[in-house]
Amino acid sequence: MLMRTDPFRELDRLAQQLTGVSGTWSKPSAMPMDAYREGEEYVIALDLPGVAKDAIDIDVERNMLTVKAERRPVATGEDVQVELSERPLGVFSRQLVLADTLDTERIRADYDAGVLTLRIPIAERAKPRKIAIGGEPDHRQLGT
């Protein structure tokens, strides 16, 4: 039900780990995710530890779901002297093409413990249903 849009995302992630360069608005870093079906909905879980809820932006246009987030430095100010900084800062983004069988009008989002969870219901038109056979009843009798 989900399609990856960037086959080179893993190479970008590896290059960022090797160079230590964080994402920018023009070239955001990837965010890890899981996607699975649970009953009558798809669930997408994105790891965003240390990101404030108001720094997350979720958009859906047609079948393109875009999640952008920005992790900012926690300790700032004149008195702050950073001794060690290993957690990546900057902009993170993920784009997913959603299948037509998902109801993009009813996406729910929750953010808890650094995990953004999106729940996308399967559209009613995509669920299996019985089709009634119409037409006139056959009143012909055998042998007449």
Side-chain angles (χ1 to χ4, degrees), residues 5 19 35 37 65 77 87 108 119 128 136 138-139:
T5 59
T19 62
R37 182 173 176 164
L65 175 73
R87 299 184 315 149
R108 294 187 328 272
R119 295 185 173 277
E136 295 293 321
D138 192 0
H139 293 292

Side-chain angles (χ1 to χ4, degrees), residues 76-97:
T76 58
E78 293 179 25
D79 297 356
V80 176
Q81 181 178 346
V82 177
E83 297 293 329
L84 179 65
S85 180
E86 293 181 345
R87 299 184 315 149
L89 301 174
V91 180
F92 302 85
S93 177
R94 196 72 187 240
Q95 282 191 317
L96 300 167
V97 177

Side-chain angles (χ1 to χ4, degrees), residues 20 46 54 88:
L46 299 139
D54 63 347

Side-chain angles (χ1 to χ4, degrees), residues 35-73:
Y36 54 92
R37 182 173 176 164
E38 185 177 274
E40 296 298 317
E41 60 188 10
Y42 263 85
V43 180
I44 300 170
L46 299 139
D47 283 349
L48 294 170
V51 175
K53 186 177 176 179
D54 63 347
I56 301 171
D57 186 37
I58 307 166
D59 290 316
V60 64
E61 184 177 337
R62 293 189 180 180
N63 290 6
M64 179 67 73
L65 175 73
T66 303
V67 178
K68 277 195 174 183
E70 184 176 10
R71 184 181 301 130
R72 300 175 184 112

Side-chain angles (χ1 to χ4, degrees), residues 139-144:
H139 293 292
R140 292 180 291 168
Q141 293 185 9
L142 297 174
T144 25

Side-chain angles (χ1 to χ4, degrees), residues 13-48:
R13 185 191 62 75
L14 182 60
Q16 288 168 359
Q17 283 181 340
L18 293 174
T19 62
V21 177
S22 297
T24 64
W25 282 105
S26 61
K27 183 130 176 75
S29 299
M31 60 183 80
M33 78 167 210
D34 292 332
Y36 54 92
R37 182 173 176 164
E38 185 177 274
E40 296 298 317
E41 60 188 10
Y42 263 85
V43 180
I44 300 170
L46 299 139
D47 283 349
L48 294 170

